[in-house]
């Protein structure tokens, strides 16, 4: 196994995805998170002017808000980031954490019980929010000052901090039309193709529901964004449905498939023989299925496999050669 192949398999094993966001988007996310946590800090200081912010329990609470900041400002349109997920996730988890601490104080398994129940209840209440687990945990291991708050913990500091960070998320993301928060406020203009190709099969909302039931796993994307993404992908696919005319050495070609069947090959050498039975192409797989394997086939076979020519992008993704920049 070559080093490149090993690195490719390692990346897939660890789930390391290539990031498609621009540098501007990354900076915006960082600035937003900074402002969100600053609002959390000053909101807590306003509620506890006598120095509650220096206690260990509060530091754990801030940790859960830090995780919320990642979702609200790095993935504001994700399902885990939406208002009910944030509000319900934190408040339900806070309630579970306080209840577990009161019912089973000083037990080694109480923190685990609080987090487990919080995750389960967030699932049933349709407000899955990963930082909620930290909120439940803080209620159990936060110390005497947290315990004395009793169920007021849900209001001060949890609800106050949630309100502060969500207010900043709404205002800050409003300056950028493509990332307004909540996700329902985002309105993308999806241009219709000049000549709409007749589609043999048109996916419906019911198809999505059936597919999600089969997948049986939580997916962090709203249904609205998922349908928009699919429509854009279908329009993108309709731009080029023919196989490339020329197969040129050094160029890259994709089979245009989805998921584990997708593959990109680079032509290493081509014979250019006038005899079709000897006109062979040597290639190597540079992405997708069979990564970094090499092969040889007839040019006609390679052309039939290739759907279109692609070019590598700086972010590690691939782009159709005829796409507009």
């Amino acid at each position: 196994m070559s080093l490149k192949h090993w690195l490719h398999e390692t990346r897939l094993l660890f789930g390391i995805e290539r990031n498609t966001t621009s540098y501007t988007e990354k900076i915006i996310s960082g600035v937003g998170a900074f402002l969100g946590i600053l609002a959390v800090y000053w909101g807590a200081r306003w509620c506890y002017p006598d120095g509650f912010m220096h206690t260990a329990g509060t530091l754990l609470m801030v940790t859960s808000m830090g995780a919320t900041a990642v979702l609200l400002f790095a993935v504001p349109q994700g399902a885990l980031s939406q208002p009910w997920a944030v509000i319900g996730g934190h408040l339900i988890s806070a309630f579970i954490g306080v209840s577990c601490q009161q019912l089973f104080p000083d037990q080694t398994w109480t923190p685990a019980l609080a987090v487990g129940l919080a995750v389960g209840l967030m699932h049933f209440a349709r407000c899955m929010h990963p930082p909620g687990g930290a909120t439940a945990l803080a209620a159990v291991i936060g110390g005497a000052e947290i315990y004395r708050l009793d169920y007021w913990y849900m209001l001060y500091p949890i609800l106050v901090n949630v309100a502060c960070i969500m207010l900043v998320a709404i205002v800050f993301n409003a300056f950028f039309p493509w990332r307004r928060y909540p996700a329902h406020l985002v309105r993308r203009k999806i241009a219709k193709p000049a000549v709409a190709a007749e589609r043999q099969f048109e996916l419906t909302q019911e198809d999505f529901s059936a597919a999600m039931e089969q997948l049986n796993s939580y997916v962090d994307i709203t249904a609205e964004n998922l349908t928009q993404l699919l429509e854009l992908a279908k329009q993108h696919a309709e731009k080029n449905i023919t196989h490339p005319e020329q197969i040129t050495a050094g160029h890259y070609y994709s089979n245009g498939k989805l998921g584990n069947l997708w593959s990109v090959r680079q032509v290493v050498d081509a014979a250019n023989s006038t005899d079709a039975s000897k006109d062979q192409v040597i290639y190597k797989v540079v992405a997708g299925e069979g990564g970094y394997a090499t092969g040889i086939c007839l040019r006609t076979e390679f052309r039939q496999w290739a759907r279109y020519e692609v070019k590598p992008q700086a972010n590690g993704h691939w782009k159709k050669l005829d796409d507009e920049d």
Side-chain angles (χ1 to χ4, degrees):
M1 182 184 294
S2 67
L3 178 60
K4 285 185 176 181
H5 189 194
W6 182 85
L7 291 174
H8 174 71
E9 291 297 322
T10 301
R11 181 180 65 81
L12 294 179
L13 179 65
F14 281 89
I16 303 174
E17 293 293 335
R18 295 185 173 95
N19 200 323
T20 59
T21 56
S22 65
Y23 291 116
T24 300
E25 184 70 8
K26 293 179 177 68
I27 294 172
I28 290 173
S29 298
V31 172
F34 165 77
L35 294 175
I37 293 301
L38 191 63
V40 167
Y41 176 81
W42 286 112
R45 285 295 298 269
W46 177 76
C47 292
Y48 298 98
D50 297 328
F52 183 73
M53 283 299 296
H54 74 276
T55 65
T58 305
L59 291 176
L60 288 170
M61 180 277 298
V62 172
T63 300
S64 69
M65 291 301 138
T68 295
V70 174
L71 293 172
L72 290 181
F73 298 101
V75 281
Q77 294 169 37
L80 301 177
S81 309
Q82 298 315 296
W84 171 236
V86 178
I87 298 170
H90 277 296
L91 292 183
I92 287 174
S93 297
F95 176 81
I96 292 294
V98 173
S99 299
C100 287
Q101 174 58 29
Q102 290 193 351
L103 293 172
F104 311 106
D106 304 321
Q107 299 296 321
T108 57
W109 44 266
T110 302
L113 178 65
V115 175
L117 288 176
V119 170
L121 196 53
M122 282 190 290
H123 250 309
F124 280 107
R126 301 181 182 181
C127 57
M128 182 58 65
H129 189 61
T135 296
L137 187 62
V140 178
I141 67 173
E145 293 199 41
I146 291 290
Y147 303 155
R148 282 197 294 270
L149 289 174
D150 198 29
Y151 286 101
W152 286 102
Y153 172 71
M154 297 174 62
L155 179 61
Y156 299 108
I158 299 302
L159 184 58
V160 170
N161 281 264
V162 166
C164 290
I165 198 169
M166 284 192 61
L167 179 62
V168 173
I170 293 170
V171 174
F172 179 80
N173 288 320
F175 288 98
F176 312 100
W178 67 92
R179 55 178 291 151
R180 284 176 181 154
Y181 180 83
H184 182 69
L185 299 179
V186 177
R187 291 291 179 266
R188 291 188 179 88
K189 293 182 178 179
I190 302 178
K192 297 296 182 181
V195 179
E198 191 69 26
R199 291 168 179 165
Q200 184 177 3
F201 300 104
E202 190 71 48
L203 293 179
T204 67
Q205 194 67 39
E206 290 74 19
D207 294 324
F208 280 115
S209 299
M212 290 301 296
E213 286 184 13
Q214 283 188 309
L215 185 61
N216 195 26
S217 181
Y218 195 96
V219 178
D220 188 21
I221 185 171
T222 63
E224 184 179 28
N225 282 341
L226 185 60
T227 54
Q228 288 180 348
L229 183 64
L230 178 68
E231 180 60 29
L232 289 171
K234 288 191 291 188
Q235 292 182 16
H236 194 268
E238 288 166 355
K239 291 181 180 179
N240 187 351
I241 59 175
T242 60
H243 297 280
E245 290 294 330
Q246 300 295 327
I247 303 298
T248 308
H251 290 208
Y252 302 90
Y253 301 88
S254 170
N255 63 355
K257 295 185 180 296
L258 296 174
N260 293 333
L261 299 178
W262 170 75
S263 181
V264 174
R265 297 175 179 177
Q266 182 185 21
V267 176
V268 178
D269 194 12
N272 291 320
S273 174
T274 55
D275 185 350
S277 63
K278 297 180 180 179
D279 191 11
Q280 295 181 322
V281 169
I282 301 174
Y283 64 87
K284 66 177 179 180
V285 181
V286 295
E289 182 188 27
Y292 302 102
T294 58
I296 184 171
C297 64
L298 293 175
R299 187 185 299 269
T300 53
E301 294 174 344
F302 189 94
R303 181 179 293 113
Q304 187 63 32
W305 171 90
R307 185 174 178 187
Y308 41 73
E309 187 174 348
V310 295
K311 56 183 178 181
Q313 302 297 294
N315 59 12
H317 283 253
W318 299 84
K319 186 177 182 181
K320 287 184 181 180
L321 192 62
D322 62 344
D323 281 354
E324 296 180 1
D325 295 329

